């Protein structure tokens, strides 16, 4: 498997960045955090854990998911969780032309990241044939935006449909089962689905798959609807850490993403995290750079510059992961996703000359899915591009990345590069696991529990009181 790499050389800037010595100084505490993380009660690696209960993270179950799901699949095939997910995906692919995914936060951002990174950039606009019969995927239940909901309802067939082209279904995801945005969306889209299947309860139930916590309101509702299949968000796996459970895997599999490769990528990152020494460990190096710059230079804005439009949602997934995990106790860096070169024309001015509070981490694709497009020559050379006629878009992108890093370096602005072999499943699996591990380790060295999001409750409480008052 081609591995992703992390290169922090761009942070080695005299006076405004770090020195190799600064990183080495953080090595012992990060190594300790890794050992502690690996020694907690993790059923696959370490039964019975040595870490005292009060220091155990609450929801570290994400760590073992890749290996656990892959091993179970090997052993039990179709009867395993992964086997069931693949079978449900196949059934949905055959029976519907669009899935409406209802979920918010960790219950949708991972699926959106995978969809945007791995699928055709205009997947939903392609004909069914060009999509190889794979369903379209639309996201709702992630807001209470009336016109957005009405807009999606406009394009759904809500009359009895005989052709696959008119059929649609719902994947509804909520761990708690009680999130208002998702529950409201479900109620509204359920009414539309009922109309679409001519009020046939069996047909309706077959078009719905819930992924939820056991025994919650959503679980009760899907049982009352008689849905033949549902999935559980595993215990000990928090929302924003759940992308490699059914939460992210089911929608990904429905749109043809190879979820086995995704898990294999994540398992490979687990191996590197467990085995590689500090200097070669992408997770520990990443945390050392982030923490080093924060502690020594007060740099607490984390810009994730993704150099591909396909990776924007992946950046937003990381925004949530970092913000909700370590933004606690009046501390925690602020994440910001930029899509370059697009945002060089909106944010780069500030990054180049504004406050010295930013680390720019580039996410770069080593290979692309499509053949390079050259500019070509033209009889009309008013734009003076004939001199670059043989240059391709990837070459221009490469020059933009190097030129931007150089400009930041000359201005004393730290940068680091994460290079993905491609926007493919194995690379994404590695990246996702790297970031979830890094966030967990960073929380530990900061003395913050990265799991849970108690601060989100305040708005919910107020909103409910206002609605009921
Ligand atoms: O990371 C988290 O736990 C949150 O972002 C949740 O995913 C989000 O609040 C949605 O919660 P639920 O899945 O319970 O509807």
């Amino acid at each position: 498997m081609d591995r992703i790499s992390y290169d922090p050389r761009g942070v080695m800037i005299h006076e405004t960045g770090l020195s190799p010595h600064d990183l080495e100084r953080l090595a012992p505490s990060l190594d300790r955090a890794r050992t502690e993380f690996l020694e907690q009660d993790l059923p696959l690696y370490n039964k019975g854990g040595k870490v005292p209960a009060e220091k155990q993270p609450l929801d570290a179950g994400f760590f073992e998911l890749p290996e656990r799901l892959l091993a179970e699949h090997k052993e039990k095939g179709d009867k395993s969780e992964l086997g069931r997910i693949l079978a449900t995906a196949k059934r949905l692919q055959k029976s519907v032309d669009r899935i409406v995914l209802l979920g918010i936060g960790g219950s949708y951002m991972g699926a959106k990241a995978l969809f945007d990174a791995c699928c055709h950039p205009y997947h939903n606009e392609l004909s069914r044939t060009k999509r190889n019969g794979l369903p379209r995927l639309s996201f709702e239940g992630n807001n209470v935006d009336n016109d957005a909901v009405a807009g999606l309802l406009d394009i759904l067939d809500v009359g009895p449909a005989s052709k696959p082209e008119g059929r649609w279904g719902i994947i509804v995801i909520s761990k708690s089962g009680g999130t208002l945005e998702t529950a409201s969306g479900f109620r509204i889209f359920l009414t539309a689905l009922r109309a679409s299947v001519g009020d046939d309860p069996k047909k309706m139930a077959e078009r719905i798959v819930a992924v939820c916590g056991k025994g919650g309101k959503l679980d009760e509702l899907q049982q009352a609807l008689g849905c033949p299949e549902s999935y559980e968000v595993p215990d000990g796996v928090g929302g924003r850490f759940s992308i490699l459970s059914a939460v992210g895997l089911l929608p990904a599999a429905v749109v043809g993403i190879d979820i086995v490769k995704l898990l294999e990528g994540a398992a490979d990152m687990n191996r590197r995290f467990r085995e590689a020494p500090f200097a070669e460990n992408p997770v520990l190096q990443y945390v050392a750079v982030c923490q080093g710059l924060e502690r020594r230079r007060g740099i607490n804005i984390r810009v994730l510059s993704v150099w591909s439009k396909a990776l924007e949602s992946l950046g937003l997934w990381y925004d949530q992961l970092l913000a909700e995990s370590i933004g606690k106790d009046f501390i925690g860096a602020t994440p910001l996703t930029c899509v370059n070169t697009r945002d060089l024309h909106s944010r780069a001015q500030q990054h180049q000359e504004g406050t010295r509070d930013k680390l720019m981490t580039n996410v770069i694709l080593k290979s692309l899915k499509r053949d390079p497009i050259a500019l070509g020559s033209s009889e009309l050379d008013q734009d003076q591009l004939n001199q670059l006629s043989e240059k391709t878009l990837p070459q221009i992108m490469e020059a933009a990345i190097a030129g931007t890093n150089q400009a930041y370096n000359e201005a004393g602005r730290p940068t680091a590069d994460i290079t993905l072999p491609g926007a493919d499943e194995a690379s994404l699996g590695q990246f996702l696991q790297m970031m979830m591990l890094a966030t967990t380790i960073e929380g530990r060295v900061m003395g913050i529990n990265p799991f849970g999001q108690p601060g989100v409750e305040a708005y919910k409480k107020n909103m409910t009181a206002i609605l009921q008052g």
Side-chain angles (χ1 to χ4, degrees), residues 99 101 111 137 139 171 173 211 246-257:
I99 287 290
L101 189 157
L137 185 59
F139 296 86
I171 295 180
I173 308 178
V211 183
V247 171
L249 296 179
L250 177 63
V254 170
V255 288
I257 293 170

Side-chain angles (χ1 to χ4, degrees), residues 81 233 257 379 431 436:
E81 169 98 347
V233 183
I257 293 170
E379 284 163 18
F431 178 85
M436 290 191 283

Side-chain angles (χ1 to χ4, degrees), residues 138-161:
S138 305
F139 296 86
E140 254 310 330
N142 53 23
N143 208 320
V144 280
D145 183 329
N146 185 71
D147 292 1
V149 170
L152 181 53
L153 288 170
D154 283 344
I155 60 167
L156 296 175
D157 189 340
V158 290

Side-chain angles (χ1 to χ4, degrees), residues 353-386:
E353 294 183 347
T355 327
R356 286 188 185 281
D357 53 5
K358 295 170 198 68
L359 158 64
M360 263 66 74
T361 301
N362 298 301
V363 182
I364 300 163
L365 296 177
K366 200 161 150 194
S367 68
L368 302 176
K369 292 174 186 156
R370 309 294 295 266
D371 291 339
I373 301 172
L375 294 191
S377 59
S378 166
E379 284 163 18
L380 299 174
D381 192 34
Q382 281 79 359
D383 52 16
Q384 297 180 4
L385 285 181
N386 275 349

Side-chain angles (χ1 to χ4, degrees), residues 5-13 17-20 23 278-282 284-290 293 359-362 405 409 413-419 434:
S5 65
Y6 177 64
D7 180 355
R9 278 174 300 176
V11 304
M12 305 296 166
I13 316 170
L18 295 174
S19 68
L23 288 187
F278 175 75
E280 291 156 30
N281 194 308
L284 300 186
Q285 286 282 305
Y286 178 82
V287 180
V289 165
C290 293
L293 285 169
L359 158 64
M360 263 66 74
T361 301
N362 298 301
N405 268 355
N409 186 275
R413 311 270 164 169
T415 62
D417 295 344
I418 297 176
T419 304
M434 171 176 163

Side-chain angles (χ1 to χ4, degrees), residues 26-36 276-278 281 284 441 445:
L26 283 161
S29 65
L30 288 171
D31 264 330
R32 247 193 329 274
R34 171 174 59 173
T35 308
E36 225 172 68
F278 175 75
N281 194 308
L284 300 186
I441 293 297
V445 295

Side-chain angles (χ1 to χ4, degrees), residues 104-107 173-177 179 182 238-240 320 324 453:
I104 193 167
S107 288
I173 308 178
S174 175
K175 184 177 177 184
S176 63
T179 303
T182 305
R240 59 193 168 277
Q320 189 219 358
E324 272 196 342
Q453 55 284 338

